[in-house]
């Protein structure tokens, strides 16, 4: 026997739609998980045999953007528009710099291999994704601009 009110079912349907749209939004936590998982996905792609695009494309994309995104995103208070552009422009150079440092260190200890390289960067990316992003100059300027625009306490004109 169903004793629910018809208005309750309508409300629950609307709530389900609202939660569905709310769930599709990418939050900083989602971004952290995605960036951390990208390294392990690239490592799994190295198991594909031969020179297949399924092997080198994930590894290339991770090497180009993974460590840099983990180091720069997400910022504790979000990013202003100028800081978003700055972080996007810095993600690839930071990733490539970390990749060069990792490869050089592995060559110096005579342990370089694709697996060792990707594992090193994946571990770095996973640990770094759990930390807040590096402070960016544009983010600090935007915060300073917001503080200057606020009216003084007491409400003057």
């Amino acid at each position: 026997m169903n004793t629910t009110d018809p208005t309750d079912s309508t409300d629950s349907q609307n709530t389900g739609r609202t939660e569905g749209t709310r769930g599709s939004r990418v939050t900083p936590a989602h971004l952290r998980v995605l960036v951390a998982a990208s390294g392990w996905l690239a490592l799994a792609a190295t198991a594909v045999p031969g020179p297949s695009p399924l092997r080198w494309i994930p590894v290339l994309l991770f090497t180009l953007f993974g460590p840099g995104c983990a180091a720069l995103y997400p910022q504790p208070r979000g990013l202003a528009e100028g800081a978003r552009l700055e972080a996007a422009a810095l993600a690839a150079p930071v990733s490539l710099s970390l990749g060069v440092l990792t490869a050089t260190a592995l060559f110096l200890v005579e342990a370089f291999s694709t697996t060792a390289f990707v594992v090193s960067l994946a571990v770095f990316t996973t640990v770094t994704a759990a930390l807040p992003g590096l402070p960016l100059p544009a983010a600090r300027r935007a915060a300073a601009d917001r503080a200057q625009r606020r009216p003084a306490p007491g409400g003057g004109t």
Side-chain angles (χ1 to χ4, degrees), residues 28-55:
H30 289 122
L31 185 61
R32 289 177 189 214
V33 170
L34 289 172
V35 169
S38 68
W40 303 108
L41 175 70
L43 181 63
T46 61
V48 174
S52 170
L54 292 174
R55 179 181 179 146

Side-chain angles (χ1 to χ4, degrees), residues 28-43 62 65-74 98 117-133:
H30 289 122
L31 185 61
R32 289 177 189 214
V33 170
L34 289 172
V35 169
S38 68
W40 303 108
L41 175 70
L43 181 63
F62 169 69
F65 298 108
C69 285
L72 299 174
Y73 290 110
L98 291 167
F117 176 73
V118 175
V119 165
S120 300
L121 287 180
V123 167
F124 173 82
T125 302
T126 302
V127 170
T128 307
L131 304 172

Side-chain angles (χ1 to χ4, degrees), residues 143-154:
D145 289 344
R146 278 184 258 149
Q148 290 175 355
R149 288 185 206 149
R150 289 186 186 157

Side-chain angles (χ1 to χ4, degrees), residues 2-3 6 8 10-11 13 20 46 53 58 60 64 66 78 80 83 88 99 106 110-111 123-124 144 147 150:
N2 189 358
T3 59
D8 290 342
T10 307
D11 290 341
Q13 289 173 353
T46 61
L60 177 67
L64 282 175
L106 289 171
E110 298 177 3
V123 167
F124 173 82
R150 289 186 186 157

Side-chain angles (χ1 to χ4, degrees), residues 70-88:
L72 299 174
Y73 290 110
Q75 294 292 318
R77 294 186 186 127
L79 292 171
E81 274 190 47
R84 283 186 214 127
L85 179 61
E86 181 182 16

Side-chain angles (χ1 to χ4, degrees), residues 56 64 66 73 89 94 99 104 136:
W56 61 265
L64 282 175
Y73 290 110
V94 168
T104 302
L136 300 170

